[in-house]
Amino acid sequence: MIALENIQFHYPHSSVGVHDINLQVETGEFLVVVGASGSGKSTLLQLIAGFLTPLQGRVLLDHQDVTQLSCGERGLGIVLQDYVLFNHMTVLGNVAYPLKVKGVRQVERHRRARKILHDVGLEALEHYYPSQLSGGQQQRVAIARALVFEPRALLLDEPFSALDASRRESMRQELKHIQRQFGVTTLMITHDQEEALMLGDHVAVLEQGELLQHSAPHQLYTQPVSEAVARFIGRTNFIDAQVINSQRIQTADLGILEVTPHAFTVGQTVRAMIRPEAIIANPVSDIVNRVPTTLVERQFLGAQQRHYLLCGTTTLSLESASTPDHITHVALPPTHIHLFNR
């Protein structure tokens, strides 16, 4: 288990850092921390790893306060962006190296290194050198090295950044399999929303050093706590509105829309959100929230098509695997409309 309690940190002569972070990664859980560049996610990982010391708050591993312990004393497996493999060592030597540092005898460390290489599917490459490996193979060597000494937790710093798009997809699956196989508590940082939603049991969103939301991927996507989270996680449509009652809002271009019951007050201005894939093209005439529209642009995205539609002066995007050539009306299902404070 990893726990951060009231963590504060900023770099000298700067406000850049993390502010009052409270976060917990349960034993065996895969947590992904996602955010844009400068959001504080790398700082957070370095605070957990022991590369940085918080100005305030505590870092706990399995309920032990490790805030003042060095990186080497924390017993964490760490995989950095560039993998930091030793080019003069074979795959076996690289994986066995942490055990050598710990004073494990050669026969035993090679036995354990070979076992972990077998577990990650690299046993046939033990005599290869890093320069002879693909990017994906190098990544698996780095992960094997991080796991060989049975760490208390695994920290991953943008592990797919050096891979091309097609390789990233397969390596995500492999990483998820390895994490499940070993049951190791894992925290990974990334800027990739899709990666976060796919891999994480839970996802934490950081912005300018603040934790905006920490929840399961589906909840994060469908029930973001703020407009900032909604904008960062996935594509979405925003519509300005005013509350009529607990189940209806008034918009400038789309008229009155029915929504699910909410706690906003009558007359309050709000921002309504609906995801592009939730909008229905050419719905039946008696459906609620049916709005006339004009197709402005169509984009082919492979498995999906994106349509930009004009409703008065409001532009909506609609995404679907198959849509008609002509769209005259759309419907916004109430259950897919989410409201925020403006």
Side-chain angles (χ1 to χ4, degrees):
M1 184 196 77
I2 303 171
L4 305 178
E5 295 182 352
N6 306 114
I7 292 293
Q8 297 270 7
F9 178 86
H10 61 80
Y11 294 94
H13 313 296
S14 170
S15 61
V16 175
V18 293
H19 317 293
D20 197 28
I21 300 293
N22 288 277
L23 188 63
Q24 187 161 306
V25 190
E26 300 295 342
T27 301
E29 179 186 353
F30 197 138
L31 174 71
V32 181
V33 179
V34 64
S37 296
S39 62
K41 57 187 186 297
S42 293
T43 299
L44 195 68
L45 184 140
Q46 292 181 58
L47 287 163
I48 297 169
F51 299 140
L52 298 173
T53 302
L55 302 177
Q56 180 180 311
R58 300 195 305 164
V59 178
L60 292 93
L61 296 174
D62 300 326
H63 305 288
Q64 176 194 2
D65 187 344
V66 299
T67 311
Q68 300 304 321
L69 296 185
S70 68
C71 177
E73 294 173 305
R74 297 191 183 193
L76 296 169
I78 304 170
V79 178
L80 300 175
Q81 288 186 40
D82 57 5
Y83 311 144
V84 199
L85 299 178
F86 301 117
N87 289 323
H88 65 287
M89 290 185 184
T90 63
V91 166
L92 181 66
N94 268 279
V95 174
Y97 185 75
L99 299 175
K100 181 178 181 180
V101 172
K102 291 180 178 294
V104 177
R105 297 183 59 153
Q106 185 181 58
V107 172
E108 175 61 13
R109 66 176 183 255
H110 281 184
R111 183 191 69 78
R112 290 167 63 177
R114 286 190 173 102
K115 181 182 184 305
I116 203 84
L117 284 171
H118 177 270
D119 290 340
V120 300
L122 292 177
E123 65 271 26
L125 303 181
E126 69 169 73
H127 299 300
Y128 282 53
Y129 287 87
S131 61
Q132 298 173 291
L133 305 177
S134 68
Q137 289 168 336
Q138 289 180 19
Q139 184 194 61
R140 277 189 284 166
V141 171
I143 293 171
R145 183 177 61 183
L147 292 173
V148 72
F149 61 94
E150 299 179 350
R152 301 168 82 171
L154 180 64
L155 306 181
L156 303 166
D157 181 7
E158 302 260 15
F160 305 110
S161 61
L163 304 178
D164 59 60
S166 61
R167 192 59 181 146
R168 277 201 302 270
E169 180 66 27
S170 61
M171 282 307 301
R172 288 171 185 168
Q173 298 285 359
E174 289 187 30
L175 176 59
K176 188 77 168 180
H177 172 74
I178 291 169
Q179 193 271 339
R180 289 285 184 264
Q181 179 182 358
F182 287 90
V184 61
T185 305
T186 301
L187 183 144
M188 184 182 95
I189 65 170
T190 183
H191 64 276
D192 190 307
Q193 314 157 20
E194 181 180 299
E195 203 163 88
L197 296 175
M198 173 186 170
L199 289 173
D201 297 317
H202 286 86
V203 178
V205 181
L206 287 187
E207 183 181 77
Q208 296 182 344
E210 295 186 0
L211 178 61
L212 300 185
Q213 187 169 352
H214 172 213
S215 59
H218 182 265
Q219 183 180 8
L220 187 75
Y221 187 78
T222 59
Q223 300 176 50
V225 298
S226 67
E227 185 177 331
V229 175
R231 286 187 183 279
F232 189 78
I233 300 295
R235 299 178 58 84
T236 195
N237 297 289
F238 292 102
I239 305 159
D240 291 332
Q242 188 173 43
V243 174
I244 298 175
N245 57 37
S246 64
Q247 291 185 264
R248 302 175 86 196
I249 58 173
Q250 175 72 59
T251 70
D253 294 316
L254 284 73
I256 295 173
L257 298 178
E258 292 187 19
V259 295
T260 53
H262 58 79
F264 293 97
T265 58
V266 174
Q268 184 175 351
T269 55
V270 293
R271 186 72 64 103
M273 160 200 138
I274 186 167
R275 299 289 186 185
E277 68 275 11
I279 297 177
I280 302 170
N282 292 340
V284 295
S285 59
D286 60 348
I287 196 171
V288 298
N289 296 347
R290 184 173 183 266
V291 181
T293 189
T294 303
L295 177 62
V296 176
E297 183 182 352
R298 186 194 310 268
Q299 295 178 348
F300 177 70
L301 305 175
Q304 293 279 100
Q305 293 184 59
R306 180 178 301 143
H307 301 76
Y308 289 98
L309 308 163
L310 195 60
C311 304
T313 60
T314 298
T315 301
L316 299 178
S317 65
L318 179 156
E319 292 182 9
S320 176
S322 61
T323 49
D325 293 333
H326 302 285
I327 302 175
T328 60
H329 290 78
V330 292
L332 286 63
T335 54
H336 291 279
I337 298 175
H338 192 65
L339 301 182
F340 302 110
N341 280 309
R342 272 185 60 190

